[in-house]
mmCIF file of all heavy atoms in Angstrom:
data_model
loop_
_atom_site.group_PDB
_atom_site.id
_atom_site.type_symbol
_atom_site.label_atom_id
_atom_site.label_comp_id
_atom_site.label_asym_id
_atom_site.label_seq_id
_atom_site.Cartn_x
_atom_site.Cartn_y
_atom_site.Cartn_z
ATOM 1 N N ALA A 180 -6.541 -4.035 -9.393
ATOM 2 C CA ALA A 180 -6.636 -5.391 -8.850
ATOM 3 C C ALA A 180 -7.940 -5.977 -9.367
ATOM 4 O O ALA A 180 -9.001 -5.383 -9.200
ATOM 5 C CB ALA A 180 -6.627 -5.373 -7.329
ATOM 6 N N SER A 181 -7.857 -7.131 -10.018
ATOM 7 C CA SER A 181 -9.044 -7.770 -10.569
ATOM 8 C C SER A 181 -9.703 -8.618 -9.486
ATOM 9 O O SER A 181 -9.065 -9.474 -8.876
ATOM 10 C CB SER A 181 -8.657 -8.648 -11.758
ATOM 11 O OG SER A 181 -9.793 -9.293 -12.288
ATOM 12 N N ALA A 182 -10.992 -8.345 -9.215
ATOM 13 C CA ALA A 182 -11.720 -9.068 -8.176
ATOM 14 C C ALA A 182 -12.944 -9.749 -8.773
ATOM 15 O O ALA A 182 -13.548 -9.247 -9.720
ATOM 16 C CB ALA A 182 -12.149 -8.112 -7.060
ATOM 17 N N GLU A 183 -13.309 -10.884 -8.218
ATOM 18 C CA GLU A 183 -14.520 -11.577 -8.647
ATOM 19 C C GLU A 183 -15.725 -10.933 -7.954
ATOM 20 O O GLU A 183 -15.607 -10.299 -6.907
ATOM 21 C CB GLU A 183 -14.430 -13.064 -8.319
ATOM 22 C CG GLU A 183 -13.369 -13.807 -9.123
ATOM 23 C CD GLU A 183 -13.578 -13.698 -10.631
ATOM 24 O OE1 GLU A 183 -14.723 -13.894 -11.091
ATOM 25 O OE2 GLU A 183 -12.600 -13.398 -11.344
ATOM 26 N N ASP A 184 -16.897 -11.144 -8.540
ATOM 27 C CA ASP A 184 -18.110 -10.487 -8.067
ATOM 28 C C ASP A 184 -18.766 -11.262 -6.925
ATOM 29 O O ASP A 184 -19.789 -11.925 -7.092
ATOM 30 C CB ASP A 184 -19.090 -10.324 -9.242
ATOM 31 C CG ASP A 184 -20.333 -9.540 -8.854
ATOM 32 O OD1 ASP A 184 -20.260 -8.772 -7.878
ATOM 33 O OD2 ASP A 184 -21.366 -9.701 -9.526
ATOM 34 N N PHE A 185 -18.129 -11.193 -5.754
ATOM 35 C CA PHE A 185 -18.699 -11.736 -4.533
ATOM 36 C C PHE A 185 -18.756 -10.620 -3.497
ATOM 37 O O PHE A 185 -17.997 -9.643 -3.598
ATOM 38 C CB PHE A 185 -17.879 -12.928 -4.036
ATOM 39 C CG PHE A 185 -17.997 -14.123 -4.943
ATOM 40 C CD1 PHE A 185 -17.013 -14.401 -5.870
ATOM 41 C CD2 PHE A 185 -19.121 -14.944 -4.885
ATOM 42 C CE1 PHE A 185 -17.134 -15.487 -6.733
ATOM 43 C CE2 PHE A 185 -19.250 -16.029 -5.743
ATOM 44 C CZ PHE A 185 -18.256 -16.299 -6.663
ATOM 45 N N PRO A 186 -19.645 -10.721 -2.507
ATOM 46 C CA PRO A 186 -19.889 -9.598 -1.598
ATOM 47 C C PRO A 186 -18.622 -8.938 -1.052
ATOM 48 O O PRO A 186 -17.746 -9.600 -0.494
ATOM 49 C CB PRO A 186 -20.712 -10.240 -0.476
ATOM 50 C CG PRO A 186 -21.475 -11.320 -1.163
ATOM 51 C CD PRO A 186 -20.504 -11.878 -2.179
ATOM 52 N N ALA A 187 -18.532 -7.611 -1.255
ATOM 53 C CA ALA A 187 -17.465 -6.741 -0.743
ATOM 54 C C ALA A 187 -16.122 -6.918 -1.444
ATOM 55 O O ALA A 187 -15.145 -6.271 -1.085
ATOM 56 C CB ALA A 187 -17.311 -6.867 0.770
ATOM 57 N N PHE A 188 -16.051 -7.829 -2.448
ATOM 58 C CA PHE A 188 -14.863 -7.970 -3.291
ATOM 59 C C PHE A 188 -13.631 -8.328 -2.452
ATOM 60 O O PHE A 188 -13.724 -9.225 -1.622
ATOM 61 C CB PHE A 188 -14.674 -6.713 -4.147
ATOM 62 C CG PHE A 188 -15.978 -6.176 -4.692
ATOM 63 C CD1 PHE A 188 -16.331 -4.835 -4.561
ATOM 64 C CD2 PHE A 188 -16.896 -7.025 -5.315
ATOM 65 C CE1 PHE A 188 -17.542 -4.349 -5.039
ATOM 66 C CE2 PHE A 188 -18.112 -6.557 -5.801
ATOM 67 C CZ PHE A 188 -18.437 -5.206 -5.658
ATOM 68 N N ILE A 189 -12.492 -7.647 -2.627
ATOM 69 C CA ILE A 189 -11.279 -8.036 -1.898
ATOM 70 C C ILE A 189 -11.047 -7.149 -0.668
ATOM 71 O O ILE A 189 -11.023 -7.623 0.470
ATOM 72 C CB ILE A 189 -10.033 -7.978 -2.810
ATOM 73 C CG1 ILE A 189 -10.136 -9.000 -3.936
ATOM 74 C CG2 ILE A 189 -8.761 -8.238 -1.984
ATOM 75 C CD1 ILE A 189 -9.045 -8.873 -4.997
ATOM 76 N N VAL A 190 -10.869 -5.860 -0.893
ATOM 77 C CA VAL A 190 -10.446 -4.959 0.187
ATOM 78 C C VAL A 190 -11.440 -4.973 1.339
ATOM 79 O O VAL A 190 -11.069 -5.201 2.491
ATOM 80 C CB VAL A 190 -10.233 -3.522 -0.343
ATOM 81 C CG1 VAL A 190 -9.963 -2.565 0.811
ATOM 82 C CG2 VAL A 190 -9.063 -3.484 -1.329
ATOM 83 N N ASN A 191 -12.714 -4.741 1.044
ATOM 84 C CA ASN A 191 -13.693 -4.655 2.129
ATOM 85 C C ASN A 191 -14.084 -6.010 2.698
ATOM 86 O O ASN A 191 -14.540 -6.082 3.841
ATOM 87 C CB ASN A 191 -14.919 -3.874 1.664
ATOM 88 C CG ASN A 191 -14.640 -2.380 1.633
ATOM 89 O OD1 ASN A 191 -14.048 -1.844 2.541
ATOM 90 N ND2 ASN A 191 -15.058 -1.712 0.572
ATOM 91 N N ARG A 192 -13.897 -7.065 1.939
ATOM 92 C CA ARG A 192 -14.120 -8.422 2.468
ATOM 93 C C ARG A 192 -13.156 -8.692 3.631
ATOM 94 O O ARG A 192 -13.474 -9.419 4.584
ATOM 95 C CB ARG A 192 -13.920 -9.439 1.340
ATOM 96 C CG ARG A 192 -13.914 -10.910 1.748
ATOM 97 C CD ARG A 192 -15.309 -11.442 1.998
ATOM 98 N NE ARG A 192 -15.288 -12.869 2.297
ATOM 99 C CZ ARG A 192 -15.511 -13.830 1.404
ATOM 100 N NH1 ARG A 192 -15.769 -13.519 0.144
ATOM 101 N NH2 ARG A 192 -15.491 -15.096 1.773
ATOM 102 N N ILE A 193 -11.968 -8.105 3.564
ATOM 103 C CA ILE A 193 -10.953 -8.291 4.604
ATOM 104 C C ILE A 193 -11.005 -7.165 5.640
ATOM 105 O O ILE A 193 -10.947 -7.394 6.848
ATOM 106 C CB ILE A 193 -9.550 -8.375 3.965
ATOM 107 C CG1 ILE A 193 -9.465 -9.603 3.044
ATOM 108 C CG2 ILE A 193 -8.455 -8.426 5.027
ATOM 109 C CD1 ILE A 193 -8.271 -9.593 2.105
ATOM 110 N N LEU A 194 -11.153 -5.923 5.160
ATOM 111 C CA LEU A 194 -11.080 -4.752 6.042
ATOM 112 C C LEU A 194 -12.284 -4.616 6.968
ATOM 113 O O LEU A 194 -12.129 -4.359 8.168
ATOM 114 C CB LEU A 194 -10.936 -3.484 5.191
ATOM 115 C CG LEU A 194 -10.955 -2.150 5.940
ATOM 116 C CD1 LEU A 194 -9.759 -2.047 6.884
ATOM 117 C CD2 LEU A 194 -10.968 -0.984 4.957
#
Side-chain angles (χ1 to χ4, degrees):
S181 179
E183 293 302 313
D184 185 23
F185 291 99
F188 320 130
I189 296 172
V190 173
N191 283 316
R192 172 78 176 263
I193 297 165
L194 175 64

